[in-house]
């Protein structure tokens, strides 16, 4: 058999540079100071991997080049939202930690009706790409059908406009609604006709009472004028240190009515914090 030789191609992507410790510290300090997200040295490889795609898309050749661009006036204006989408974790699902939605339907909403509440206001403070928002909306719609005259308003906020764009569109991979009962799928989702890329779109009735707004939980004061009966702040506190967690919870509570409910993630805790909350169930609290 004749010998065959492999000739290297010149156009192959040979970007192999690593992020220096100094560059990582600049990014890490910025992320913590601006957004409260802890990023210790052990996460350098993770950040390096997440930024690599953006560096390639921008036609740059090193992390230092990207750093200089990002912190320039042009970079802060044009790159910030893409940077946030890359460095923040936007993992979410429909009916994630379903016990919260069960409690909302079985206890919270009937309590509000009993108190004479006509319109419930709920805030999803880290709404990401919208799955939590639409899950809440499904629960409320189902409740409304059994309680004529009852209405709701939902606010969704996040630090990433890019992921909120997905929430605005309300289009998701079809597999993401596998956890939803068939009757609710048929009622609240429209299937695409593209079988090569099967997607679903949420029904307009789920969207009509939802408002979306940019908000950084690290802000000293939140540009929120309403008071809310229920606030969801789930699986975001884990990225903050203990002091920041306590500050964020207290700021959220300023917008929670007396007797209102706060839901946090199952890996999160407010133990030993100075916060105006009473524990009702694990990860479910009531404003004192």
């Amino acid at each position: 058999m004749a010998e065959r030789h492999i000739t290297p191609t010149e156009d192959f992507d040979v970007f192999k540079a690593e992020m220096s410790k100094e560059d990582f510290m600049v990014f890490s300090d910025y992320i913590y100071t601006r957004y409260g997200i802890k990023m210790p040295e052990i996460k350098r490889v993770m950040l390096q991997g997440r930024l690599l795609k953006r560096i390639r898309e921008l036609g740059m050749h090193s992390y230092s080049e990207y750093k200089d661009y990002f912190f320039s006036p042009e970079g802060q204006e044009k790159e910030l939202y893409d940077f946030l989408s890359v460095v923040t974790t936007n993992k979410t699902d429909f009916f994630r930690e379903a016990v919260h939605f069960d409690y909302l339907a079985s206890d919270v909403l009937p309590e509000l009706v009993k108190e004479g509440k006509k319109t419930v206001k709920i805030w999803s403070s880290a709404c990401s790409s919208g799955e939590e928002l639409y899950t809440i909306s499904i629960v409320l719609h189902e409740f409304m059908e059994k309680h004529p005259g009852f209405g709701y308003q939902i606010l969704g906020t996040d630090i990433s406009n890019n992921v909120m764009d997905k929430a605005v569109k309300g289009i998701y991979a079809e597999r993401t609604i596998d956890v939803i009962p068939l009757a609710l799928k048929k009622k609240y989702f429209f299937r695409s006709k593209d079988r090569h890329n099967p997607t679903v779109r949420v029904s307009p009735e789920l969207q009509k009472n939802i408002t979306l707004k940019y908000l950084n939980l690290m802000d000293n004061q939140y540009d929120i004028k309403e008071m809310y009966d229920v606030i969801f702040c789930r699986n975001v506190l884990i990225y903050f240190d203990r002091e920041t967690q306590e500050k964020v919870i207290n700021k959220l509570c300023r917008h929670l009515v007396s007797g209102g409910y706060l839901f946090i993630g199952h890996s999160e805790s407010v133990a030993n914090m100075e916060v105006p909350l009473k524990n009702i169930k694990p990860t479910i609290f009531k404003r004192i």
Side-chain angles (χ1 to χ4, degrees), residues 157-207:
T157 61
D158 203 274
I159 62 170
S160 173
N161 278 320
N162 285 357
V163 295
M164 283 197 294
D165 285 344
K166 185 173 181 179
V168 170
K169 293 174 183 175
I171 298 174
Y172 303 93
E174 188 175 326
R175 66 179 181 277
T176 63
I177 65 168
D178 287 346
V179 298
I180 300 177
L182 182 59
L184 296 181
K185 288 182 191 178
K186 291 181 176 180
K187 192 172 182 179
Y188 296 115
F189 295 88
F190 300 105
R191 295 174 64 184
S192 68
K193 295 180 181 179
D194 185 352
R195 292 297 89 196
H196 297 290
N197 180 32
T199 59
V200 294
R201 177 171 56 85
V202 299
S203 66
E205 62 182 326
L206 288 187
Q207 296 180 301

Side-chain angles (χ1 to χ4, degrees), residues 257-275:
V257 300
S258 179
Y261 289 86
L262 173 70
F263 294 87
I264 65 174
H266 279 83
S267 58
E268 299 166 330
S269 170
V270 301
N272 301 316
M273 289 186 184
E274 293 288 335
V275 291

Side-chain angles (χ1 to χ4, degrees), residues 109-117:
L109 297 179
E111 178 183 306
L112 293 173
V113 168
K114 189 176 180 180
E115 293 173 355
K117 195 85 173 182

Side-chain angles (χ1 to χ4, degrees), residues 89-96 126-133 135 172 176 234-235:
T89 301
N90 298 303
K91 168 65 177 170
T92 183
D93 299 293
F94 289 100
F95 286 92
R96 185 182 186 184
C127 68
S128 187
S129 48
E131 288 88 337
E132 180 175 274
L133 291 173
T135 301
Y172 303 93
T176 63
R234 307 188 309 160
N235 305 302

Side-chain angles (χ1 to χ4, degrees), residues 115-131:
E115 293 173 355
K117 195 85 173 182
K118 295 297 184 182
T119 302
V120 61
K121 296 180 181 178
I122 298 181
W123 176 16
S124 171
S125 62
C127 68
S128 187
S129 48
E131 288 88 337

